[in-house]
Amino acid sequence: MADVIDRFAPPLAPWTRCTACNGILTPVSKQDLLDEIESGTRRHYNEYARCGDCGQVYWRGAHARRINAIIRAARLAHPGISP
C-alpha cells in the first residue's frame, strides 16, 4: 500500500466506493433494507449504503475499526494525500 501511495498519491476516501464494481455508494435507510439484511446485522448496525451500479449493500461492520486505522496510518505517513 505504501508503494502505491508513494507513486500515485490516490485520494483516500473509504466508504465511498463499492469493492465489487467501484460504483459510488449512496446512503440508504435501514428501513429500506429490512428484507435484504440479516437480523443480527439489523440489530447491531444502523447506517447503510448501496452501490448505485451493482446494488451491493454495505455497512460498517466489525472490520470498520481496522480499515479506519489503516487509512489513518496512511494519512499520517503521507500528509499530502487528500481525504
Side-chain angles (χ1 to χ4, degrees):
M1 186 168 87
D3 188 41
V4 169
I5 291 172
D6 286 339
R7 286 180 179 205
F8 304 108
L12 300 178
W15 315 110
T16 61
R17 292 288 187 160
C18 178
T19 59
C21 75
N22 203 38
I24 295 174
L25 299 183
T26 305
V28 62
S29 76
K30 183 178 187 175
Q31 191 66 31
D32 290 342
L33 297 173
L34 292 178
D35 294 336
E36 298 179 57
I37 54 178
E38 298 291 329
S39 61
T41 303
R42 286 194 301 266
R43 273 194 307 274
H44 295 285
Y45 303 103
N46 293 311
E47 294 181 28
Y48 299 88
R50 182 188 300 277
C51 175
D53 292 338
C54 74
Q56 178 71 36
V57 175
Y58 290 87
W59 60 93
R60 295 184 190 200
H63 60 287
R65 284 189 195 133
R66 193 169 129 242
I67 291 171
N68 287 337
I70 290 167
I71 297 298
R72 195 169 30 258
R75 286 186 176 140
L76 286 171
H78 306 276
I81 299 292
S82 62

